[in-house]
Amino acid sequence: MKRWMYTPVVLVSLALTACGGEESAGGGSGDVTLRMLVWGNGPAELKGEREILDVFEEKNPGIKVELSHVPWDNFNERLTTMSAGRNQPDVFWMIDAAAMTSYASQGMLMELDGFIEESGIKEDEYLPGAWDIGAWEGVQYALPRDLTSHHIVFNKDMFDEAGHPYPEAGWTWDDFLEAAKATTIEEDGKIVQFGIAGLIWEEMIVQNGGASFNIDGSKVEIDSPETIEAIEFMHDLVDVHRVAPLATESEGLGDLFLANRAAMAFAGPWHWRQYEEDGEFEWDIVEVPAGKAGNKSQLLGLPIGIGSQTDHPEEAWKLLEFLTHGEGQSIQANIVGANPSVTRETHTFAEGQWVPENVEAFQTIMEENTVVQSMFPDKPAAASNIQPVIDQIMDENRDVDVADALGELADSLRAEFDMD
């Protein structure tokens, strides 16, 4: 899942040409030109980001920002290659907090503690967990442009037709299963409407107090009782209760919720505009259902950092501070629909054009129920081993014991990555 639909970047034209053709958006002459790199799929996606940078340039005469983009799937590779070639952007997005730790461990990021102390920025100005996604080994290397999380979106029309009450705050896995059963419709031996679609195994384990790894990556937890129970529950939603689609039943159909084929789905604010514009039904949101840990969901965020190779650290900090703490926080909520990371702008996002009726549920999620995930340099490589095993567990043609499969996976991860 591409959690973000944003697209900011900054690179000079010559550097772009030298590095394989990233496209440039905006720019101009000035005393200092900062190069900013983000992921995205073209100028249309970058339009809102460019508008934010235009305001920054207006407020900071003498600093220009060249925004460039790389496709999301190639972003880490491109940024690493640029850094190795001494052609680093001054400021850049990061895929996630785990990528940040990898960059920091390779010396690709500038330490921010001195700038933060001098500016007077305080951690308590941000949503819970915000600073965590930019810190590694006690040093702050990034600040979050925005923060978000998953929730459940539900089709009010389908619930009305089923005569089942809408999901409410504090609901549990039992309530979730009951609602999914009530809104699943089978005709002539074929399920034509599923109760739930878009299951996310990482979210299921968080709801139950499980994890893939502990926070610093020193311990494998994919075989913990809480994780095993969560994956078993997800498996049963698909293969036992038949309220969620098999892989073969959803293949090629895109977003089953948007297609009016599912009553509920895991979603995020990045879906809201499309549901509002293209959905031919009434919809709303609710927090994820509670397993043993409660109505918990992953804290997702967009860390932004300063490249360690920059020749303009002071100007780069001005841009970073503007985007992650200053005026850019209020502008982005209206322009690109990104949830600000600072608490003072919570109301700005809640008053946006595409927000659902129960937008307060999202605010509660962000203020009370998000869980910071593990962050360590080897995580991308270690985590890449997990999805194939989850796919095997969920495969209707395989009879896989969940505890055995996750136990074998855990032992393999411990041996390969020297974890407990």
Side-chain angles (χ1 to χ4, degrees), residues 171-190:
W171 67 325
T172 67
W173 275 3
D174 288 340
D175 301 323
F176 177 55
L177 177 57
E178 182 181 352
K181 287 180 175 180
T183 53
T184 296
I185 298 176
E186 182 178 342
E187 294 180 357
D188 300 324
K190 180 181 179 181

Side-chain angles (χ1 to χ4, degrees), residues 92-142:
F92 50 86
W93 283 7
M94 288 167 257
I95 295 294
D96 56 24
M100 181 277 301
T101 65
S102 178
Y103 300 155
S105 70
Q106 296 176 65
M108 292 168 56
L109 290 167
M110 177 176 291
E111 296 183 10
L112 301 179
D113 292 324
F115 284 118
I116 291 171
E117 182 178 359
E118 184 177 353
S119 69
I121 295 175
K122 303 298 182 183
E123 183 175 358
D124 61 10
E125 297 178 69
Y126 290 78
L127 288 167
W131 276 28
D132 294 339
I133 67 172
W136 183 62
E137 294 191 339
V139 176
Q140 203 72 31
Y141 288 98

Side-chain angles (χ1 to χ4, degrees), residues 155-166 182-185 187 193 260 263 280-282:
N155 185 315
K156 298 171 75 172
D157 297 340
M158 290 182 179
F159 273 80
D160 290 343
E161 291 170 6
H164 194 81
Y166 300 152
T183 53
T184 296
I185 298 176
E187 294 180 357
Q193 176 180 300
N260 225 18
E280 298 179 355
F281 47 80
E282 295 295 318

Side-chain angles (χ1 to χ4, degrees), residues 3-8 38-39 43-53 67 93 145-148 268-274 302 304 323 327-340 348-349 352-355:
R3 291 189 300 249
W4 316 103
M5 296 305 293
Y6 325 131
T7 346
V38 305
W39 66 81
E45 281 191 24
L46 289 177
K47 183 178 179 181
E49 307 300 341
R50 185 66 253 174
E51 291 178 28
I52 296 173
L53 296 177
L67 179 64
W93 283 7
R145 196 287 285 272
D146 48 72
L147 295 171
T148 191
W270 53 93
H271 293 106
W272 293 353
R273 179 170 183 170
Q274 188 176 25
L302 177 60
I304 304 181
L323 295 174
E327 188 177 350
Q329 285 284 292
S330 60
I331 301 171
Q332 71 181 28
N334 290 320
I335 292 181
V336 297
N339 185 54
T348 308
F349 182 76
Q353 185 174 359
W354 313 109
V355 299

Side-chain angles (χ1 to χ4, degrees), residues 1-78:
M1 177 191 69
K2 295 180 182 178
R3 291 189 300 249
W4 316 103
M5 296 305 293
Y6 325 131
T7 346
V9 188
V10 184
L11 292 133
V12 290
S13 300
L14 290 176
L16 294 177
T17 302
C19 289
E22 293 89 351
E23 299 178 20
S24 177
S29 61
D31 296 334
V32 170
T33 297
L34 295 174
R35 303 159 57 203
M36 179 173 170
L37 181 65
V38 305
W39 66 81
N41 297 312
E45 281 191 24
L46 289 177
K47 183 178 179 181
E49 307 300 341
R50 185 66 253 174
E51 291 178 28
I52 296 173
L53 296 177
D54 288 345
V55 175
F56 170 78
E57 291 179 349
E58 182 181 349
K59 301 283 186 180
N60 295 272
I63 304 177
K64 295 296 180 181
V65 182
E66 289 197 350
L67 179 64
S68 303
H69 61 96
V70 175
W72 190 90
D73 291 339
N74 300 328
F75 187 82
N76 281 339
E77 178 183 3
R78 176 62 66 193

Side-chain angles (χ1 to χ4, degrees), residues 196-368:
I196 178 67
L199 293 172
I200 302 172
W201 67 266
E202 296 96 331
E203 293 293 353
M204 303 300 296
I205 65 176
V206 167
Q207 294 160 30
N208 210 44
S212 302
F213 311 94
N214 69 340
I215 193 69
D216 64 1
S218 61
K219 183 178 180 181
V220 177
E221 297 185 352
I222 195 67
D223 60 343
S224 70
E226 295 81 8
T227 299
I228 291 171
E229 183 179 31
I231 299 302
E232 288 176 336
F233 179 62
M234 187 177 77
H235 170 272
D236 289 351
L237 290 172
V238 175
D239 288 316
V240 177
H241 304 298
R242 297 296 290 120
V243 296
L246 300 164
T248 54
E249 293 172 318
S250 59
E251 186 175 359
L253 295 179
D255 187 331
L256 290 180
F257 183 80
L258 185 62
N260 225 18
R261 295 285 303 279
M264 297 181 289
F266 281 83
W270 53 93
H271 293 106
W272 293 353
R273 179 170 183 170
Q274 188 176 25
Y275 290 158
E276 187 65 22
E277 290 187 327
D278 301 334
E280 298 179 355
F281 47 80
E282 295 295 318
W283 62 279
D284 209 341
I285 68 169
V286 68
E287 61 193 5
V288 297
K292 288 180 177 178
N295 304 97
K296 301 296 183 179
S297 56
Q298 300 178 93
L299 178 65
L300 309 173
L302 177 60
I304 304 181
I306 299 173
S308 59
Q309 299 171 17
T310 183
D311 292 326
H312 311 291
E314 296 288 341
E315 292 83 358
W317 168 252
K318 286 184 178 181
L319 175 58
L320 179 61
E321 193 278 335
F322 179 86
L323 295 174
T324 61
H325 179 265
E327 188 177 350
Q329 285 284 292
S330 60
I331 301 171
Q332 71 181 28
N334 290 320
I335 292 181
V336 297
N339 185 54
S341 56
V342 293
T343 55
R344 73 171 190 273
E345 294 296 341
T346 299
H347 70 282
T348 308
F349 182 76
E351 296 164 2
Q353 185 174 359
W354 313 109
V355 299
E357 181 179 352
N358 190 28
V359 67
E360 293 83 3
F362 182 75
Q363 294 174 282
T364 299
I365 291 168
M366 298 307 302
E367 293 171 5
E368 301 178 11

